[in-house]
Amino acid sequence: MLGVGFDNLTREETVNACMKLIEKHASSYMVTPNPEIVMASWDNEALKTAAENADLVISDGIGVVKAAKILGTPLKERLPGIEICEAVIERLSDIGGSVFLLGAKPGVAEKAAENLKKKYPGLVVCGTQDGYFKDSEPIIEAINAAKPDFLMVCLGAPKQELWMYDNASRLDVGLMGGLGGSLDVFAGVTDRAPKIWQRLGLEWLHRCIKEPWRFKRIARLPLFMTKAVETRIKRTFNGHKG
Ligand code: UDP
């Protein structure tokens, strides 16, 4: 879609795909692009490459789902990264699987670990590390010593996508996911939008109201939608000609 290929899966299919990749234990990675990330990939070749090489690309934002519909290639569902992540954690908890929490401000991953262990007693949290490091080497070493089934990479976009792409071949993990502010939510540092906002597809608006600097980030959203309409018109026109 507009330069980024998405996996067209339901929630259940996505979680099953994650568990298969975890079983394979080949340092696979999942990206969860919203329209901002798709647009950022238009002028960031490295981000585009990172998305293209991902083992799973899921439709995190409502804008992505709407654009897919406009383009005539609808996606089955909106799949918020944090919900897929929690579903994977729940499955891991059932089988005594492990997770390593990487990202967010100092202390946040530890708090998230505490909350996750309370909620999912079978889960093994095999490591935590804040996201404000300069050198990746000692972090890779710590992750590889822990060999997690699942590595949450919460460094914000595009840092997390580039980090996963750059380091996948040196990591000893099952699956990793670029999961933005998920650790902040699990730690209770930030809240997700109330369910009704989520159901109405307005979670982005809620985040912008809470963190007004985000309005700047979504300013290009109308351009994203216009591009989707333009592309659909071009495709229809070319289709009729051909
Ligand atoms: N972050 C980080 N290292 C950085 C920059 C950001 O660990 O160098 C963290 C930040 O503390 C926050 C998360 O990455 O926990 C980004 O959250 P945000 O909600 O902005 O993610 P996005 O909107 O990109 O999904």
Side-chain angles (χ1 to χ4, degrees):
M1 177 207 299
L2 307 176
V4 173
F6 282 83
D7 287 291
N8 187 15
L9 303 172
T10 63
R11 187 170 296 246
E12 182 71 12
E13 288 165 349
T14 307
V15 179
N16 289 341
C18 288
M19 295 311 291
K20 270 209 186 111
L21 291 170
I22 285 174
E23 228 171 88
K24 206 167 127 196
H25 202 95
S27 297
S28 307
Y29 71 94
M30 163 173 78
V31 294
T32 62
N34 54 23
E36 292 162 43
I37 299 181
V38 174
M39 283 188 286
S41 75
W42 295 345
D43 28 50
N44 182 339
E45 203 52 44
L47 176 58
K48 193 170 184 328
T49 306
E52 274 167 0
N53 282 279
D55 299 271
L56 263 178
V57 184
I58 64 168
S59 49
D60 186 70
I62 188 72
V64 168
V65 174
K66 294 253 187 257
K69 208 166 169 190
I70 293 171
L71 286 162
T73 48
L75 290 163
K76 288 178 184 166
E77 268 186 76
R78 177 183 168 227
L79 302 168
I82 189 166
E83 290 177 17
I84 298 302
C85 169
E86 188 157 1
V88 167
I89 282 176
E90 192 173 356
R91 294 255 194 115
L92 285 174
S93 163
D94 292 343
I95 56 173
S98 62
V99 65
F100 192 111
L101 312 179
L102 169 64
K105 297 205 173 113
V108 173
E110 288 74 13
K111 183 72 194 144
E114 207 181 299
N115 293 346
L116 285 171
K117 278 193 287 197
K118 248 185 241 153
K119 194 163 175 193
Y120 301 105
L123 183 72
V124 177
V125 179
C126 60
T128 55
Q129 164 66 46
D130 73 70
Y132 293 85
F133 51 87
K134 290 226 161 53
D135 182 6
S136 290
E137 292 313 313
I139 291 157
I140 292 173
E141 264 173 42
I143 294 168
N144 286 350
K147 295 187 191 356
D149 291 314
F150 186 42
L151 169 64
M152 286 181 67
V153 184
C154 298
L155 306 173
K159 194 173 172 182
Q160 59 200 15
E161 288 76 16
L162 301 180
W163 193 89
M164 292 190 293
Y165 174 67
D166 288 343
N167 297 307
S169 64
R170 294 187 301 142
L171 282 162
D172 187 355
V173 307
L175 171 69
M176 53 192 149
L179 293 158
S182 301
L183 284 176
D184 294 323
V185 175
F186 290 148
V189 174
T190 56
D191 289 327
R192 283 192 75 192
K195 283 272 181 298
I196 181 75
W197 290 63
Q198 291 181 33
R199 244 177 278 132
L200 293 171
L202 292 174
E203 194 162 13
W204 60 273
L205 181 61
H206 183 267
R207 292 190 85 186
C208 286
I209 293 168
K210 289 256 171 172
E211 298 162 309
W213 58 267
R214 285 185 187 276
F215 274 114
K216 210 171 121 214
R217 269 176 56 170
I218 62 152
R220 286 170 83 203
L221 198 59
L223 175 67
F224 178 76
M225 286 304 175
T226 311
K227 247 307 199 260
V229 173
E230 237 177 64
T231 308
R232 177 63 194 264
I233 292 169
K234 271 191 208 143
R235 276 185 196 166
T236 310
F237 181 66
N238 289 340
H240 283 165
K241 272 208 319 194

